[in-house]
Amino acid sequence: MRFIFFTKTEWAEPPRMRHQLAGLLADAGHEVIFFQRPIYPWQNSRPTESSHPRIHLYRHRQTLHHKLRLNNLLHYVNAAFEKQEILTYIGLLKIGRADVIVNFNYDYFFLREMFPEQKLITIINDDFWSRAIAGYERPLKSALAMTCKTSDVVLAVSPPLAKQLETFCDPVLFYPWADIPYKAPASEASRNTLLFWGYINSKVDLDYVKHLVELIQRQRQDIKVLFVGPTTRASKRLVALKDHPVLEYHPTARLDELPLDRVFAGFIPNRSGVTENDAIVLPNRALQLFARGLPVAITGMPHFLQHPFVFRLGNGLNTDLATLREVQHSFFALQPAVEAFVQANSAEHRLQTFLTYAQ
């Protein structure tokens, strides 16, 4: 089968579900046409290629950033422009009736008109509309409603998102999956590191991190905190912590390049009371940590899946520190539960589930 992906994502970005799904399908022998983030009319597109022989990258243009379309008219003007841009590729790619359209954009309500005979699957993995500029949420939700209503299948990555989408359609839950089979951690290692791996942005509660590392230092606990990932302007406070004796920072690295034999848990310290954080149930990176035998310690995210290897912090720093010590001591006892969860959320299982939606 051939799958046509529409995204607002660069292929070179750190992997998200769209990258992983494209890779999963391509590894299974399917062909993937991946439209990256659109550019503006005055920009030039540089040719890019994926490293996978069955994943082909394309890019078209848009008139205006999706958050700046502050009324329905601007959405329709952009839709007319993007349709013409995409049409230039349809003949070139010879998109046929058997091809499957996979849409990751909440505002691509025009795809049904362009592909009336193809199966159209929309995947919503973020609450875009709650971050509308200057509160202009209504036109974004209007575009979302039309996109969902014209899709054959709408997949949502969390129950809170699915609940919001129920107004427009009958969404189906579709969680991320582990990128590798469960890998048993080295049993002889001495583990004293708490690992944050991912984007360091405004979602992260750096004030909490600061207080935690200061408490670890005062109590002289054998715990180090390792932060790995790109920063944004909203996370410049991390710079002040880089030289803290308890905290170590690296700009970026693949997960398997890190000293995982020293890590006793993944760390996802998200801020509380943030709409997009509150919708998170099972973030993509958590599955990658679980696959390597790592439990996780979290803050915020009230809907995060509850399992014996998920430890909630934010109950007071002294209590949190005691919880982290508990994770250290029970690390190997947690492994059977972690392994079972990874096996139940494998790439093979997700692939077969997704292919049933594509029929």
Side-chain angles (χ1 to χ4, degrees), residues 221-279:
Q221 296 290 325
D222 183 25
I223 295 177
K224 299 292 184 182
V225 179
L226 173 60
F227 263 69
V228 179
T231 60
T232 65
R233 280 180 292 181
S235 61
K236 291 304 180 184
R237 283 175 298 167
L238 184 70
V239 174
L241 291 172
K242 284 199 302 184
D243 297 325
H244 194 283
V246 171
L247 190 141
E248 182 180 350
Y249 168 71
H250 296 287
T252 185
R254 292 177 57 250
L255 190 54
D256 290 324
E257 295 173 343
L258 300 174
L260 298 182
D261 58 339
R262 300 204 318 255
V263 177
F264 67 86
F267 189 30
I268 311 179
N270 279 3
R271 291 166 54 209
S272 300
V274 178
T275 301
E276 58 183 306
N277 282 353
D278 289 351

Side-chain angles (χ1 to χ4, degrees), residues 202-206 269-274 277-278 299-301:
S202 60
K203 293 181 182 181
V204 180
D205 191 343
L206 289 175
N270 279 3
R271 291 166 54 209
S272 300
V274 178
N277 282 353
D278 289 351
T299 62
M301 301 179 290

Side-chain angles (χ1 to χ4, degrees), residues 79-210:
F81 182 84
E82 285 202 58
K83 280 167 59 178
Q84 291 303 312
E85 286 281 307
I86 295 170
L87 281 170
T88 63
Y89 290 100
I90 291 179
L92 174 67
L93 297 171
K94 297 180 180 178
I95 297 175
R97 186 173 184 176
D99 294 331
V100 178
I101 311 302
V102 183
N103 170 43
F104 283 88
N105 301 325
Y106 76 92
D107 58 338
Y108 272 30
F109 51 88
F110 52 83
L111 289 179
R112 172 51 72 207
E113 182 181 345
M114 298 186 66
F115 305 104
E117 298 181 328
Q118 287 82 2
K119 178 62 70 76
L120 172 53
I121 302 172
T122 291
I123 302 177
I124 302 295
N125 67 339
D126 200 356
D127 181 352
F128 304 96
W129 48 96
S130 71
R131 304 193 303 278
I133 293 176
Y136 282 90
E137 184 177 304
R138 186 171 179 178
L140 274 62
K141 276 199 168 182
S142 177
L144 171 70
M146 290 187 290
T147 300
C148 290
K149 289 175 181 177
T150 55
S151 301
D152 293 304
V153 181
V154 176
L155 305 179
V157 301
S158 75
L161 276 178
K163 186 70 175 175
Q164 294 188 64
L165 298 176
E166 285 176 358
T167 307
F168 319 124
C169 59
D170 295 316
V172 181
L173 284 173
F174 188 71
Y175 288 130
W177 56 93
D179 61 330
I180 61 171
Y182 170 80
K183 184 178 180 181
S187 59
E188 69 278 4
S190 174
R191 298 177 178 273
N192 69 343
T193 300
L194 186 62
L195 170 67
F196 175 97
W197 178 72
Y199 282 108
I200 306 169
N201 53 26
S202 60
K203 293 181 182 181
V204 180
D205 191 343
L206 289 175
D207 288 331
Y208 174 82
V209 174
K210 178 177 181 292

Side-chain angles (χ1 to χ4, degrees), residues 9-10 19 32 40 48 51 53 57 68 91 135 140 148 159 193 199 207 225 260 303 323 326 338 353 357:
T9 305
E10 298 294 328
H19 302 87
V32 176
Y40 300 108
T48 54
S51 59
L57 306 181
L68 295 176
L140 274 62
C148 290
T193 300
Y199 282 108
D207 288 331
V225 179
L260 298 182
H303 297 288
T323 298
E326 176 191 345
V338 176
T353 299
Y357 301 138

